[in-house]
């Protein structure tokens, strides 16, 4: 801060200068005051999910494994989606805010479209694969990330069909307390 700006601020708002000079504790809960790593939970919204999806993610370094349970309100289907993604580029930003680009592989199956058409009882008839490409935004001192992704997908069963999926989501990575053995 420029010395002249600090003087004007000090004269106009003396209590705010005291607040800026002291290290005040974060208003964020302590379980979220770290980089988003580990086991996370969140919501994904977009195509093909309709309203929302439950998302569980395991993030380590530049790799993320995700599992979505989606409900498509348009076709009243429940879909299980699994992703493996890797960061391939990070846009330069300030020291704490990060914008990584990622790509990956996806597999999915509609859970309520079960049939004996394949000769197997209780197995989904609609399955496919995809290649998600997306961007994530997170702060290194807040265990929450926001992301947008786009994925060309190929339905493999019961017939071949090419389409696209896209959506936005957020995940939280709480640092849960560990249980210690009593001695």
């Amino acid at each position: 801060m420029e010395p002249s700006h600090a003087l004007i601020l000090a004269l106009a708002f003396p209590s705010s200068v005291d607040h800026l000079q002291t290290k005040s504790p974060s208003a964020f809960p302590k379980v979220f005051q770290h980089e988003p790593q580990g086991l996370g939970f969140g919501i994904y919204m977009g195509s093909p999910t309709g309203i929302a999806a439950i998302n569980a993610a395991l993030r380590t370094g530049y790799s993320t494994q995700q599992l979505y349970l989606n409900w498509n309100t348009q076709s009243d289907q429940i879909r299980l989606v699994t992703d493996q993604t890797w960061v391939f580029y990070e846009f330069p930003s300030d020291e704490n805010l990060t914008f990584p680009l990622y790509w990956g592989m996806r597999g999915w199956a509609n859970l309520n479209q079960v049939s004996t058409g394949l000769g197997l009882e209780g197995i989904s008839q609609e399955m496919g694969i995809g290649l998600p490409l997306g961007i994530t935004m997170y702060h290194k001192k807040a265990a929450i990330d926001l992301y947008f992704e786009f994925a060309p997908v190929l339905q493999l069963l019961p017939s071949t069909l090419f389409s696209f999926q896209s959506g936005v989501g957020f995940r939280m990575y709480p640092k849960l307390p560990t249980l210690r053995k009593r001695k």
Side-chain angles (χ1 to χ4, degrees), residues 136-182:
T136 303
M137 179 186 79
Y138 69 88
H139 194 277
K140 290 183 179 178
K141 295 182 181 177
I144 294 176
D145 67 5
L146 304 169
Y147 62 98
F148 168 78
E149 71 178 22
F150 172 81
V153 293
L154 181 63
Q155 179 177 313
L156 300 173
L157 294 173
S159 61
T160 305
L161 177 67
F162 182 76
S163 64
F164 294 96
Q165 297 174 351
S166 63
V168 296
F170 78 91
R171 293 177 291 243
M172 301 179 294
Y173 298 84
K175 189 176 281 186
L176 302 175
T178 57
L179 298 176
R180 294 186 187 125
K181 266 189 179 178
R182 285 190 161 168

Side-chain angles (χ1 to χ4, degrees), residues 70-173:
N70 303 332
W71 175 41
N72 185 335
T73 57
Q74 296 169 348
S75 59
D76 202 26
Q77 293 177 341
I78 296 174
R79 178 181 289 206
L80 181 67
V81 181
T82 182
D83 285 351
Q84 168 65 57
T85 63
W86 298 274
V87 171
F88 68 90
Y89 181 76
E90 285 189 6
F91 284 104
S93 186
D94 70 13
E95 62 187 48
N96 289 320
L97 196 60
T98 306
F99 295 92
L101 283 175
Y102 65 87
W103 72 277
M105 298 179 291
R106 168 175 291 166
W108 60 268
N110 286 341
L111 298 179
N112 58 341
Q113 296 291 324
V114 293
S115 174
T116 59
L118 298 174
L120 301 170
E121 263 320 300
I123 300 295
S124 174
Q125 243 189 325
E126 292 185 10
M127 295 181 192
I129 57 173
L131 298 171
L133 177 66
I135 185 166
T136 303
M137 179 186 79
Y138 69 88
H139 194 277
K140 290 183 179 178
K141 295 182 181 177
I144 294 176
D145 67 5
L146 304 169
Y147 62 98
F148 168 78
E149 71 178 22
F150 172 81
V153 293
L154 181 63
Q155 179 177 313
L156 300 173
L157 294 173
S159 61
T160 305
L161 177 67
F162 182 76
S163 64
F164 294 96
Q165 297 174 351
S166 63
V168 296
F170 78 91
R171 293 177 291 243
M172 301 179 294
Y173 298 84

